[in-house]
Amino acid sequence: MSKFIQSVTHLIFITVLSITGAAFAQQKPNILWLVTEDLSPYLRSYGNTLVRTPNLDSLAANGIRFTQAHSNGTQCSPSRSTLISGIYSVSLGTDIHREKRPVPDQFYFPKYLREAGYYTTNNAKQDYNNKKTPEDVWNESSGKASYLKRTDKSQPFFAVYNCGITHMTRVATHNVEGRSPRTVSKSAVSVPKYIPDLPEVRDDIAWNMDAVMLMDKWIGDKLKELRESGEAENTIVFFYSDHGGTVPRGKAYVYESGTHVPFIAYFPKKWQHLAGTRLPATSDRLISFVDLAPTIFALTNIKTPEFMVGKPFFGKDSQKPENQRKYIFTFRSNQGPAYAPSRAITDGRYKLIWNFQSAYPNGTRQDYQWQMPAQQAWDIANIRNKLSPLEKKFWVPVEPLELYDLQKDSLETLNLVGNKSYAKILDELKAVLHKELITNQDLGFTPRDYRLTLQQNGAMYDVVKKSKTNIDKQIMAAETASYRSLTHLKTLIGYLSDADPVVQYWGASGLCGLAKAGSLKKMPPEATAYFKKNDALPEAKCLLAEAMVYTSNDSAALNYLLAKIEEGLGAAAAGMQNLGDKAKPVSKQLSALLNEKKGKMKFLIRSALINTGDLPYSELYTPGEKVGD
């Protein structure tokens, strides 16, 4: 064959390939995600008559509105880490909010779309709790990223737009002054019965509802842009929030108010066959963020990577029994510097919450959320003993297990643990949740600072696999520690001599929980010996120091916490705050540290001094101070 014929043949082949590629691309749907932040199902289509959301109402009226959609994480970064990876962030060790960790490069689902020919854009928030996003994930990720920039208009796109209008930043204002213009009346809003009905609470809720309507206008603008681009009839649209709303006991907690989100999907006529149901529709199907990546792969006919654990809820196989989710798994790891992991499981009717750090209350102060006037007002009412027993629950150490009937008690106020009529349900959900932790190899039971030690050798996910760490044992140690029962005292003491520092930590945690509850009257000698070891895990020693103060007002223990605060250890500051007025003997030293410390550490020192009576509550923040999340 002559070189000329070879050249012509090659040119014809390339031309045919290009034409075929373009035609193939056109057979793929575009995917557009419109993501808002910190929003429970406050839309009119979900029954909220206080707001007008015409754009989202229209999307719901012509699409699918899900009533049982949940974020898996309760804060932005662990939630988005789960979303972008297709596996739970607790399996990656990226579950602690606002702590960027190394993540293996394969755990970013848009890269697989890009490899399959999609143009991928993100505008603009990532917040994956990772050190660095690989360059092959997005064609562009910035405040200017747009599918409109692709040069080949036949190329399918996957585009994400993030809206911050409803973010907690709106209400993290310290006071309620200057909030205007308003459209929702403070007198018209409903206050959940677990929160006291205070003016600041009503103000925050109403001010947030105003944001919902502003966000809906943003949605309208994005949908208009899509129509004007000529791509509306080829684009599947998802709308959702990254986790629950900003009412106190919402965001950052595994209650429904922290994880239940609005979720609406719209399919143009061309792609309605992929919806798996006749449209429009309202679906009670259980879905969560870990399911989003497999769902996108099902819609685009791309093979789902084997590491992903979610179930596709759209696509040709979405109605198969094996793809119907029976339970939704949710989690939290921290309350600011305080490490306080909780896990939850629900079948949509019954819900079990398992709280593992049993010495700490949900109302453990943290610097960002306490900027909400509603949160401060609730806190002050607690200090002044002006709360009902239900409102007070937030401020006392958590119950290890919480069981709720969501059908009868949607606000999760009546804990059914101990009710014999629900004993079977409790046992079933407990077994399911335990299995979920083991199956997912939940790394979230490793305390936060010790993780930094592990990650000196790479991503935590890889490190524990290489070292063949016994994750099952860590999980069972945390479960045992959570119970606050003297029947487990011998086991907890035994954990202190285990070879695994994580197991040691949970031994200390269990002892601290017993001491906080007043069940442990004297520290076991093994615990005292562990506390005196120079090479023992500092985070475990902080919990034992806290326990020693509860049992005997031990001055050496208080001084240890003080020394660790000086070194900048968050666990020590969290412990000092949790001691309440028992920290009084070192209040002068804490006061002296206020001029030396900054950020979260300074906030916790102030909080501890408020608890001892050495600082007025009005000085929890300095005038004009703004804390970012």
Side-chain angles (χ1 to χ4, degrees):
M1 184 182 292
S2 70
K3 289 185 177 180
F4 173 76
I5 294 175
Q6 285 180 335
S7 179
V8 170
T9 302
H10 180 71
L11 180 62
I12 293 172
F13 174 76
I14 293 298
T15 303
V16 170
L17 186 64
S18 298
I19 295 171
T20 304
F24 176 75
Q26 291 169 3
Q27 297 307 309
K28 296 276 190 178
N30 303 319
I31 309 290
L32 174 64
W33 282 5
L34 302 177
V35 186
T36 194
E37 300 191 67
D38 301 13
L39 185 70
S40 295
Y42 295 149
L43 311 180
R44 199 172 187 90
S45 59
Y46 283 86
N48 182 11
T49 58
L50 295 178
V51 299
R52 295 179 300 280
T53 50
N55 296 298
L56 287 168
D57 293 349
S58 177
L59 205 67
N62 294 284
I64 304 176
R65 181 177 64 87
F66 285 88
T67 65
Q68 291 283 357
H70 286 257
S71 63
N72 300 106
T74 62
Q75 294 148 302
C76 302
S77 58
S79 175
R80 291 171 182 266
S81 173
T82 299
L83 188 152
I84 201 68
S85 65
I87 62 175
Y88 299 114
S89 61
V90 292
S91 300
L92 290 173
T94 54
D95 50 301
I96 292 180
H97 183 44
R98 284 290 181 270
E99 292 219 348
K100 295 182 177 181
R101 312 272 178 176
V103 175
D105 286 355
Q106 70 266 29
F107 295 126
Y108 299 86
F109 84 82
K111 71 180 290 180
Y112 298 95
L113 291 172
R114 192 174 175 186
E115 289 171 0
Y118 270 77
Y119 186 79
T120 62
T121 64
N122 178 61
N123 186 328
K125 187 171 184 174
Q126 292 193 22
D127 206 12
Y128 307 143
N129 243 7
N130 59 341
K131 287 282 189 182
K132 183 181 179 182
T133 302
E135 294 183 0
D136 60 351
V137 175
W138 302 107
N139 286 91
E140 184 180 3
S141 180
S142 73
K144 296 181 179 180
S146 172
Y147 60 89
L148 298 174
K149 290 185 178 181
R150 69 199 197 287
T151 55
D152 180 1
K153 299 306 179 183
S154 68
Q155 183 181 12
F157 64 78
F158 171 69
V160 181
Y161 287 90
N162 293 275
C163 175
I165 293 172
T166 55
H167 192 269
M168 184 178 279
T169 305
R170 180 176 173 85
V171 292
T173 56
H174 298 243
N175 57 60
V176 298
E177 296 173 5
R179 292 181 172 181
S180 61
R182 289 184 176 275
T183 52
V184 175
S185 169
K186 289 173 281 187
S187 62
V189 301
S190 296
V191 177
K193 61 183 179 181
Y194 51 81
I195 306 174
D197 191 345
L198 300 169
E200 296 88 347
V201 173
R202 287 187 168 273
D203 204 302
D204 275 6
I205 294 173
W207 190 234
N208 214 21
M209 294 301 173
D210 286 346
V212 175
M213 291 184 278
L214 294 173
M215 178 272 298
D216 184 77
K217 183 182 182 301
W218 178 86
I219 293 290
D221 292 342
K222 291 302 174 189
L223 294 176
K224 180 183 179 183
E225 180 180 79
L226 180 65
R227 290 192 298 271
E228 291 177 348
S229 75
E231 294 288 356
E233 293 308 310
N234 202 40
T235 303
I236 299 169
V237 180
F238 285 10
F239 163 80
Y240 62 90
S241 172
D242 62 352
H243 50 72
T246 59
V247 175
R249 211 198 78 164
K251 173 181 179 177
Y253 299 96
V254 289
Y255 297 106
E256 295 294 284
S257 51
T259 67
H260 189 202
V261 297
F263 196 107
I264 299 169
Y266 171 79
F267 287 77
K269 186 176 180 180
K270 179 177 180 180
W271 299 109
Q272 285 185 2
H273 63 282
L274 294 176
T277 186
R278 293 183 64 181
L279 301 176
T282 297
S283 175
D284 296 328
R285 180 172 180 158
L286 300 177
I287 66 171
S288 67
F289 285 1
V290 78
D291 303 319
L292 283 174
T295 298
I296 295 303
F297 288 136
L299 290 173
T300 55
N301 199 28
I302 297 171
K303 184 179 178 181
T304 302
E306 291 184 1
F307 63 79
M308 292 187 177
V309 299
K311 298 178 180 293
F313 51 88
F314 291 136
K316 64 179 182 178
D317 295 328
S318 60
Q319 300 306 313
K320 289 184 176 180
E322 61 268 28
N323 286 327
Q324 301 294 312
R325 181 170 289 287
K326 294 181 180 180
Y327 303 97
I328 288 175
F329 171 60
T330 56
F331 46 82
R332 77 183 288 246
S333 286
N334 64 302
Q335 181 70 359
Y339 173 61
S342 297
R343 304 289 184 266
I345 201 87
T346 181
D347 62 3
R349 167 73 187 273
Y350 297 103
K351 179 173 176 181
L352 177 68
I353 298 173
W354 202 329
N355 301 305
F356 296 93
Q357 201 72 287
S358 58
Y360 284 65
N362 279 325
T364 296
R365 295 189 191 113
Q366 59 108 322
D367 61 343
Y368 182 70
Q369 285 184 279
W370 258 248
Q371 293 177 111
M372 290 193 293
Q375 192 69 67
Q376 290 191 33
W378 192 7
D379 195 352
I380 292 168
N382 174 57
I383 292 170
R384 294 174 179 172
N385 294 314
K386 292 186 176 181
L387 298 179
S388 70
L390 177 58
E391 296 160 358
K392 180 76 175 177
K393 281 180 65 177
F394 188 76
W395 305 97
V396 298
V398 292
E399 297 166 277
L401 297 169
E402 301 176 59
L403 176 67
Y404 299 105
D405 183 340
L406 299 177
Q407 193 174 93
K408 297 178 180 178
D409 179 25
S410 62
L411 294 179
E412 296 160 288
T413 61
L414 180 61
N415 187 359
L416 300 171
V417 172
N419 186 323
K420 292 181 180 179
S421 300
Y422 293 88
K424 184 178 179 182
I425 294 169
L426 173 62
D427 289 343
E428 288 175 356
L429 287 180
K430 224 174 126 183
V432 170
L433 183 49
H434 172 77
K435 184 179 179 181
E436 194 78 34
L437 302 179
I438 299 296
T439 300
N440 295 323
Q441 287 293 275
D442 193 321
L443 305 181
F445 297 100
T446 303
R448 57 188 307 160
D449 281 272
Y450 182 58
R451 295 189 195 194
L452 299 176
T453 302
L454 293 175
Q455 289 169 346
Q456 291 175 359
N457 299 315
M460 191 172 171
Y461 179 88
D462 292 331
V463 169
V464 297
K465 286 188 180 300
K466 289 178 182 177
S467 64
K468 297 181 179 180
T469 301
N470 190 341
I471 304 301
D472 295 13
K473 187 175 184 180
Q474 295 177 354
I475 292 167
M476 288 186 280
E479 291 174 347
T480 302
S482 73
Y483 288 125
R484 245 178 359 226
S485 171
L486 284 172
T487 58
H488 298 297
L489 180 58
K490 185 177 180 180
T491 303
L492 295 172
I493 292 170
Y495 287 158
L496 295 176
S497 59
D498 194 273
D500 186 346
V502 175
V503 176
Q504 296 170 21
Y505 175 87
W506 286 106
S509 176
L511 293 172
C512 185
L514 285 169
K516 179 78 170 184
S519 301
L520 189 68
K521 305 299 182 184
K522 185 179 179 181
M523 290 299 289
E526 296 89 345
T528 304
Y530 183 95
F531 178 75
K532 292 179 179 179
K533 289 171 61 176
N534 292 329
D535 60 347
L537 186 69
E539 289 170 281
K541 290 178 70 171
C542 285
L543 287 168
L544 290 178
E546 194 178 333
M548 291 163 72
V549 175
Y550 294 136
T551 55
S552 61
N553 294 312
D554 192 296
S555 59
L558 266 178
N559 287 326
Y560 177 81
L561 290 174
L562 188 66
K564 288 299 175 182
I565 290 172
E566 290 175 346
E567 293 175 15
L569 183 63
M576 191 69 79
Q577 177 186 237
N578 201 42
L579 284 172
D581 60 6
K582 285 187 173 292
K584 182 71 174 176
V586 293
S587 59
K588 288 184 179 179
Q589 295 93 317
L590 286 170
S591 297
L593 286 174
L594 280 177
N595 294 325
E596 300 177 20
K597 298 299 178 182
K598 298 179 180 180
K600 298 182 186 300
M601 189 65 70
K602 188 165 190 171
F603 173 87
L604 290 176
I605 294 171
R606 289 181 193 145
S607 179
L609 288 169
I610 288 169
N611 293 341
T612 62
D614 291 275
L615 203 66
Y617 195 94
S618 59
E619 293 188 32
L620 185 60
Y621 297 95
T622 57
E625 181 179 5
K626 293 294 289 183
V627 179
D629 180 38

